[in-house]
Amino acid sequence: MTVGHFVRHPEWSQYTTGCSTYVADLRVPGALTARVLRSPLPHARIQSIDVSRAVQAPGVAAIVTADDLPERRYFHEGPRLADRYPLARDVVRFVGEEVAAVAAESRDQADAALRLIRVAYRRLPAVTEVDSAVRPGAVAIHDRPTGTNVALRIERTYGDPEDADQRTHVEVRGRFRFGRQAHVCMEPNGTVASWNESSGILELWTSTQSPYFVRKEVAHVFGLDMDRVVTHEVAVGGGFGSKSKIADHEVIAAALSMRTGKPVRLVLDREEEFATTKCRHDFIVDLNSGADGDGRLTGRHALIHVDNGAYNHSGASVTGAGVAKLASMYRTGGVSVDARLIDTNKHPGGQFRGYGGPQVLFAIESQVDELADRLEMDPIDLRALNANRAGDVTLAGWRIRSSHLVECLQAVREAIDWDEKRKLGGSGRGVGVAVAMHVTGARTYEDANRAEAGIDVCPDGRVRVRFGGADPGTGQKTVLAQVAAEELGVDVGDVDVVTMESSSGVFDLGAWSSRGTFMAAHAVAKTARAAAATLRERAASKFGVGADDVVLSGGHASAADDSLPLGDLVGLPEDTDGELQVEDAFTVETELVNHETGVADLSPTYSFAAHAAEVEVDRNTGEIRVVDYVAAHDSGMAINPVGVNGQIVGGVVMGLGAALGEELIYEGGRLVNPAYVNYAMPRAADVPPIRPILIQHRDPVGPYGAKGIGEISLEPVPAAIANAVAHAVGVRIRELPLTPDKVLSALRRGVEPSAWRRFRLWRRPGRWWIALMRWAYPRGLHHVLHRWGTKYAHAPKDENLSFVVVPRTVQEASRLLSERVRARPIGGGTDLLMVREQGLVQPTGVVDVTAIRELSRIEETSTGSARIGGAVTLADLLRWSEASGDEVLVQTLRTIASPQIREMATVAGNLVQEKRCWFYRNGFNCYKRGGSSCPCYAVMGDNRFYHAVIGAHRCQAVTPSDLATALVALDAVVHAYGANGRRGVAVAELYSGPGETRLEATELVTDVEIPRSSRTRLSRFEKLRLWHGDFAVASAAVSLALSPAGQIEDVRVVLGAVAPVPIRARRVEDALRDQALTPDVIERASTAWTVEAHPLQANAWKVDAASGLVRRALRSLQGELPDVSPSSAPAQPWS
Amino acid sequence: MPKYSLLVNGEQVELTVSPGERLLRVLRDTLGLTGAKEACGRGECGSCTVIADGRPVMSCITLVTRVTSVETIEGLADESQAVREAFADEGAFQCGFCTPGQIVRAVSVLRAGVEADDSVIRREMSGNICRCTGYDSIVRAVRRVVDERDEAARR
């Protein structure tokens, strides 16, 4: 018996030794590498494309543009909605849209050729946000019959909302926004395409969840018969919905293969993954929810704006799915909805785990808590009262065959100790709950209720499962091996599962809509039973018994005293290739989705879940820490419990990402944060252990009683967190993600600003010029600089490194730096190599200083100071500091980047690293990158996190080094060696601007010295960041010495990431000097610096957050004082 | 282009590399060792983690000329046996793309003698992004091997 029990993944050994073959790993002799030329503009007409120089570039085999492809759009959801060509034809509609593609012998050659393609664009007005797209007179991105930039409109009522409103006793209203989340599959999307001209067969190895849809679309675009497009099995590195339909690489790779007659590999890079692949649709949901006096839900009314991006793809069905869920959650009196799918000039949305569900659930489930509040009811009780139960038919026509939602609610109530924790409300710690329901394989296509499978029993007794779908990491292969083993009585280790091979001749639509296990397990079970019946019959005739007397077990067919290995029962004349090959199809009765009424029982069954979260909110900084998380699921019986738990935990953490940090951020239609380092998705240390609870009951229609699990685990998470935050601190935040800026701003709302910060610009003539510039930016200056100033930007030269030299002495290194033109010293290279690729510095070569022995030494001098060599790695310094007891260095270093980066990155490199402004780093032609005719994009763009609130001039960036912040507080001195010999510079004096030092280009940092006097002070480093290893949003280092009487005699307070350079907060120091470290003094002192601030329009909250960090640092030092016991510390004003 | 000698999984190989060549490209394209994966190419995700001269590093941003010896997931198959089995038993991989990097990192964490503390393990594993598992199973797998190691040391 394997079903219901954990078994290892059938290919665990390959996966854990690096032997699984993904698209990028395939060895394809003679394969060309493809790269894509993308639109730099959000909306423009293509006037001409000149590839004449590029085709002659070395190694180039072919270039394709729209003219080289048939004039056919992707089919997607049918001809009515089809609106996108595989390569842009005449018009580009988003930054990153595919314009041309090159196949060359190497990637470098392909990249070089892209730079030689000349495209003449004529700019068109762009609408990059929903509100500007629906404004009267807005430019139309497409010609839509439903209205300008309205790709689809759904106006419906379900039930009788007017009648329901009559019973409404309490009503809540609000606007909820989910934001755009990226899938961030770890494997970049990719395809190997190979066209065989003579056979007319196109072979594809592609990272997909659904080989069927890829074949269908590719065949459609090229006008081929579908059986001419052949897919092969390949490992798929994550999908989460993004790969459930064709992506945008398959056709391009195929077109290049057809042009060249050679295999072509196209693999996206990470920036393309973030900036051009389809993401979760941003929903703006205006919702009213009502309840009667007993807490029964009455009317629910929604106006929904869905940001479609530039093309339809799945926008229509995601919107439809969101509407259906809105009408199905809970027993509700009536629902009215007006949903509009709005075109914008951004990369399109697509399918994403949850499919519109998370967005509407965030609104619904937040309001259920608000209703509970108004009704003075317990939120769990209110949900249990209204829960969908077995036998119900929802307003959208969903027939609930099994529901254990109430049991799920009870389970989380107990697991999180709800009744006790609810008493903590307002204390900064709180608990919240949210629920979800989801389809198990919606019938959104005619054939979506059907799946086929093949079972082959081989002469050696092994069993092969043939399946047409794919396992992108969902564990489907494991489940199918278990099912086959179960039905055929063989060991699960004797089952091989082959997926994605179109030649295996079995039909399946793929892994999406939480259908993988349901459809595939049914199909394989049915087919395996047919194979088992044949085996029993064959054995029966050999044994001379009835087929019913034969038992299949342990790889044998047995009856009474007779037993034969299964392999001995195959190889009959009627068998193919000596194997018993059986194919069968499974069909389930469901209703096809109804686009007119929105009412259909489109899923064979429905899953349910209740989640509860406990959070802690730091009122100093607005940070939310998830302390505990329980997730109870009614997904029927688990076929593989470890796999089900993995889907739950993985989904919850992905939901926590959406709840707390993940969002794609745009400026002028261009993605600002197309990099892991700029995208706040959870790392291991950011999340608590998640506690899954399986409420297992046999579903009447599910295979072995199982229902879907893949998507539902993500859906309740944001609302559970928002509800917990509301409970913890009493503020309701309706816009995701719940980043510290929103939390802290909400906490301060209603508090008189003058109580904690006064900027007094009128008294500071030194800031008037900057204030004037900032005033002028939105009034035309930004537009002028962006539109015309950037034409004069200096372009980076593209040169390869011509040398790497490895000197052995400081003198030699210094000499090399003076002699070689544009040579740069390199330590770990973790930054220099990146900024070189980003076109920010152009060294011709590098001088590797890590072989200079004295630079890699750390020592305590005879005077007790610490001397740290410039090439010491951060990891070595951390280990040394742990041993030496330099706690503040330990605190600082542990927050810097990742352990692997710290093993490479050096102390000197950390201090001199380039600024991390996400505009500057990610290709915006800004003031610092392009020169003085260019704008600073941070003035108008998203400056909430990584820009200055004090002292900035034309560039708003900050010095990113956390080590510098700590070292200033420790009075450290940098020693440098150059043409004029050795000199010392205080770290406090090191910086002239953001990430810019006063060192000469020929000078080398030899060491950093921390004097004994500061090492013996009480010191503390605090940092606010969006994810573990992120650069500082703000940081504070405090170092102080106390007199014997407990007065502060000497003090340094340094703020990092709030100004272009790390700054001493002298006013704070003045407020602390000669004082005892009491709560009153701490409170007064921590905000004393803020009169000097000059924040941008969206980062004033950082002034409060930085003050909060100072407060936190001082309080923690106060806690370390020997004469203050923790119990005597009085209540803190902000918590 | 300069000739260059590198010890790869215990075997000395001679290479011709251009200045600025990254270790990951040499491993994957020249030596055919595709276990280390490129997910970002910028040292931000950990998928390409290898052990270079005893240190766990991101091979996508490591200059190959900087390294004299490298151990990859392929070469660590034996040493990582317990980690690999723990990954399989805890469900610590789903799509598997980040897994080689996770396992190499886990090996280096074990070599460094990490303490049996889940929060320390989480911190030490935070340079390796996983989008599938939510990390619990990875932390449990590493913890299991740490506990087995500590148990063996006590005996």
Side-chain angles (χ1 to χ4, degrees), chain A residues 1124-1131:
Chain A
V1124 180
S1125 67
S1127 60
S1128 68

Side-chain angles (χ1 to χ4, degrees), chain A residues 465-482:
Chain A
V465 177
R466 284 178 280 128
F467 185 64
D471 182 347
T474 52
Q476 215 174 338
K477 280 189 151 188
T478 317
V479 166
L480 299 189
Q482 285 179 274

Side-chain angles (χ1 to χ4, degrees), chain A residues 932-949:
Chain A
S932 58
S933 67
C934 302
C936 170
Y937 286 90
V939 175
M940 302 283 290
D942 193 319
N943 52 42
R944 288 174 294 159
F945 305 119
Y946 303 107
H947 295 92
V949 292

Side-chain angles (χ1 to χ4, degrees), chain B residues 24-140:
Chain B
L24 181 63
R25 272 208 185 185
V26 170
L27 292 173
R28 289 182 57 88
D29 298 350
T30 312
L31 301 174
L33 295 169
T34 54
K37 305 299 180 198
E38 179 168 331
C40 72
R42 292 169 44 145
E44 295 169 2
C45 76
S47 301
C48 65
T49 301
V50 297
I51 299 178
D53 297 322
R55 289 174 181 262
V57 300
M58 319 271 200
S59 58
C60 70
I61 54 166
T62 299
L63 289 177
V64 67
T65 49
R66 170 72 64 81
V67 178
T68 58
S69 88
V70 60
E71 298 162 89
T72 70
I73 183 73
E74 292 91 347
L76 292 166
D78 289 339
E79 183 179 346
S80 66
Q81 182 69 25
V83 177
R84 298 197 298 111
E85 300 218 12
F87 265 60
D89 288 340
E90 296 290 351
F93 67 88
Q94 288 179 20
C95 84
F97 196 78
C98 73
T99 309
Q102 301 276 3
I103 289 176
V104 173
R105 174 62 189 147
V107 167
S108 74
V109 165
L110 284 159
R111 280 187 190 175
V114 68
E115 57 189 292
D117 179 326
D118 284 357
S119 61
V120 173
I121 293 171
R122 273 183 190 272
R123 200 176 68 208
E124 292 300 320
M125 295 299 292
S126 272
N128 292 72
I129 300 179
C130 172
R131 190 56 157 171
C132 295
T133 64
Y135 302 108
D136 277 359
S137 49
I138 294 172
V139 175
R140 276 202 312 273

